[in-house]
Amino acid sequence: MSRRLLLINPAHMLNGRVQRGPAQFPIPPLNLGYVAALTPASWEVRIIDENLRLEEGLSWRPDLVGLTALTPNAPRAYALAQQYRAAGIPVVLGGIHASALPDEAARYVDAVVVGEAEGAWPRLLADFEAGRLQARYDGGFDALESLAPPRRDLYPGGYFTEVAFTSKGCLGHCDFCSIWRFYAQCYRTRPVDDVVDELATLPAHKMVFLADDNLTLQPGRVIEICQQLVKRGLRRRLAIQGAITLADNEELLIWLKRAGCVYVFVGLESLNGEALTQIGKPNLLGANAEGYRRRLANLHRHGLGVYGSFIVGLDQDTPETFAQLERFILEAEIDCALINILAPLPGTLLWERLIAEGRLLLRHFPDDYACCTQDRVYFQPAHLTPQQLEEGARQLIVRLNRPGLLARRARRTWQHTHSALATLIALEWNRRSRVAARRIPDRCENVGT
Ligand code: SF4
């Protein structure tokens, strides 16, 4: 009889309720698809994504459970682990949170995978089958050549986008980001042909999110991927994320558009040069944010939708920051704006700094990890009260997306992109952002205690 493996992407839960991200567009858990692909055919594998439905009960009894978690869903991962272990089923946990805090994770599971799970998985399964599962595995960072395609057939239906990647890691050093530390500051790429072959298997009508941490570190490679897609008649509705400097590369923008790119996600973070320097991002603002404005206009000139992400609550932010951001986002006609409250997370320099400065307002871990999200304030801001920051962010989102503006902004997206998909996404994203911002989030009982 074959063995059974259950892979779970836990929900983010707080006070017993599932919490949804601002726009509620879940994407498939790509890491679990790759782990499933590395599991021998002698195993029966299932994937549950609790962003779509909660795992309840043990109707399908696995021999082994594999969990992945970021910080906000780590408490749910630990709760699920306890549930399965109580039923005598061993549990393995990987992901960014467990990699940042492996000793903590080890208290809740049978084995912790630090780093990329793919590198450790065959060894871990062999150990499990031999009855000698180890407490910790180091996945390392293998070359990304000839990867077995992720088991997309195991994903539950219901995702708006497909997801794939062409590279991993980033050479940046942003203080709020754990990616560069998780990947030990190494940047690895997949061969162009492998990427194009995989994209060829994805449906042309669906959006494909390229989940590279920073896709544009090697623009020549991205151009090559786009050229191959065009040459093989494989235009795909791509959404990519990269640094705003990609807007300086005319050839890259031309090929992205030709290959079918619909949206470019850029982390703009702040309009304050000092803040950008402090968080470790290059200060590309120029006079009066002219550097940002010019680059954003160039993305639009090439027919690309812009998904711009900002952080509020940085040490330089004041009560005036919200109005400045509102003006800039509307003037630059950013199609979808993501307003994130600064969220210090384990594994980041920011987390360490705020703890050292006594500014973290949460203490009851692991439960309080569920409060570590970008729509709550759980640290002491420098020039705002926590209430001013939370309310300022919420009101900014509501104002940017008020009913009268939604249609006007969507019309501009259509004029920039001539893409019905880009326009619909802008409309729906912005509408959902307003609905989410108007909802009072579940409170974190322990903040400040
Ligand atoms: S925030 Fe983006 S640019 Fe900065 S280190 Fe993380 S992945 Fe790199």
Side-chain angles (χ1 to χ4, degrees):
M1 204 174 79
S2 64
R3 293 180 191 257
R4 290 172 158 188
L5 169 67
L6 181 59
L7 298 171
I8 306 177
N9 183 32
H12 170 213
M13 296 193 72
L14 181 63
N15 303 335
R17 278 187 292 276
V18 176
Q19 309 292 305
R20 302 265 178 231
Q24 306 180 348
F25 286 132
I27 59 170
L30 193 57
N31 52 352
L32 296 186
Y34 274 107
V35 166
L38 287 170
T39 304
S42 55
W43 285 73
E44 188 184 350
V45 187
R46 289 193 183 177
I47 294 180
I48 289 180
D49 183 357
E50 287 201 317
N51 286 316
L52 299 181
R53 93 174 157 80
L54 283 187
E55 164 60 354
E56 280 157 8
L58 277 170
S59 54
W60 189 77
R61 189 183 166 87
D63 296 289
L64 181 67
V65 170
L67 298 165
T68 183
L70 301 170
T71 293
N73 62 350
R76 171 68 177 166
Y78 294 158
L80 285 169
Q82 278 171 329
Q83 187 183 311
Y84 282 102
R85 293 177 85 198
I89 300 166
V91 176
V92 178
L93 175 65
I96 286 192
H97 185 83
S99 295
L101 299 173
D103 293 336
E104 173 196 283
R107 296 205 295 271
Y108 299 91
V109 297
D110 299 277
V112 178
V113 182
V114 175
E116 214 166 59
E118 290 90 315
W121 197 246
R123 188 160 33 98
L124 185 151
L125 283 187
D127 285 352
F128 175 79
E129 288 181 349
R132 49 161 199 260
L133 189 66
Q134 307 293 304
R136 190 177 297 188
Y137 291 85
D138 186 345
F141 303 105
D142 290 348
L144 300 176
E145 272 144 36
S146 309
L147 301 178
R151 291 285 307 274
R152 293 191 168 87
D153 57 308
L154 297 178
Y155 292 145
Y159 295 107
F160 176 70
T161 61
E162 296 287 349
V163 61
F165 79 97
T166 84
S167 67
K168 285 191 178 183
C170 180
L171 301 178
H173 293 86
C174 301
D175 76 342
F176 58 87
C177 175
S178 55
I179 291 291
W180 58 277
R181 288 172 118 192
F182 176 79
Y183 288 115
Q185 288 183 271
C186 76
Y187 179 68
R188 293 164 300 152
T189 58
R190 295 179 65 191
V192 168
D193 288 343
D194 287 7
V195 173
V196 176
D197 287 346
E198 184 181 341
L199 292 177
T201 67
L202 302 180
H205 68 278
K206 279 193 100 171
M207 187 98 167
V208 180
F209 175 49
L210 294 182
D212 299 45
D213 305 304
N214 190 344
L215 179 68
T216 49
L217 275 178
Q218 293 180 357
R221 204 179 125 269
V222 182
I223 291 172
E224 225 184 301
I225 291 170
C226 293
Q227 288 173 333
Q228 289 270 355
L229 287 172
V230 172
K231 195 164 139 201
R232 290 173 56 178
L234 293 170
R235 283 183 101 241
R236 287 293 178 270
R237 297 170 151 182
L238 302 174
I240 67 157
Q241 53 185 3
I244 184 64
T245 44
L246 74 94
D248 296 336
N249 189 326
E250 292 293 315
E251 192 187 2
L252 175 62
L253 299 186
I254 289 168
W255 280 104
L256 279 171
K257 185 66 184 174
R258 280 191 194 159
C261 184
V262 178
Y263 264 101
V264 175
F265 181 107
V266 282
L268 300 169
E269 323 306 6
S270 177
L271 301 179
N272 182 308
E274 205 185 308
L276 288 172
T277 305
Q278 186 187 29
I279 64 178
K281 280 229 162 182
N283 177 358
L284 300 165
L285 283 169
N288 303 319
E290 196 45 45
Y292 274 0
R293 230 184 288 271
R294 181 175 52 73
R295 290 180 171 95
L296 293 168
N298 206 30
L299 293 174
H300 279 151
R301 200 169 62 76
H302 283 273
L304 297 164
V306 178
Y307 194 120
S309 170
F310 295 89
I311 299 174
V312 289
L314 298 170
D315 281 355
Q316 292 73 13
D317 287 348
T318 66
E320 286 73 51
T321 299
F322 305 104
Q324 287 162 1
L325 276 178
E326 181 181 356
R327 265 197 310 278
F328 178 81
I329 289 166
L330 294 178
E331 283 170 15
E333 300 185 330
I334 292 177
D335 304 280
C336 302
L338 182 59
I339 308 294
N340 293 313
I341 295 174
L342 183 66
L345 296 172
T348 65
L349 294 175
L350 177 67
W351 176 266
E352 290 157 17
R353 177 165 70 84
L354 292 186
I355 287 179
E357 293 173 0
R359 292 169 60 191
L360 202 64
L361 301 177
L362 298 174
R363 312 232 184 311
H364 304 277
F365 299 116
D367 288 353
D368 280 358
Y369 291 132
C371 300
C372 296
T373 57
Q374 291 158 328
D375 56 354
R376 294 181 176 81
V377 182
Y378 56 95
F379 69 98
Q380 181 60 52
H383 299 300
L384 294 157
T385 65
Q387 294 73 18
Q388 272 178 317
L389 175 53
E390 197 164 303
E391 201 44 34
R394 210 181 307 290
Q395 290 305 326
L396 171 58
I397 297 168
V398 170
R399 283 199 307 276
L400 282 171
N401 301 305
R402 57 189 182 270
L405 263 183
L406 276 182
R408 199 160 6 127
R409 289 181 65 196
R411 199 161 45 243
R412 291 300 289 151
T413 298
W414 168 255
Q415 287 164 351
H416 291 311
T417 62
H418 297 290
S419 159
L421 181 63
T423 307
L424 277 174
I425 288 174
L427 203 54
E428 193 53 16
W429 170 271
N430 293 332
R431 187 191 67 77
R432 290 187 190 200
S433 297
R434 177 169 57 90
V435 171
R438 287 170 69 96
R439 215 174 30 225
I440 302 296
D442 281 319
R443 303 315 312 175
C444 300
E445 307 300 342
N446 298 321
V447 170
T449 62

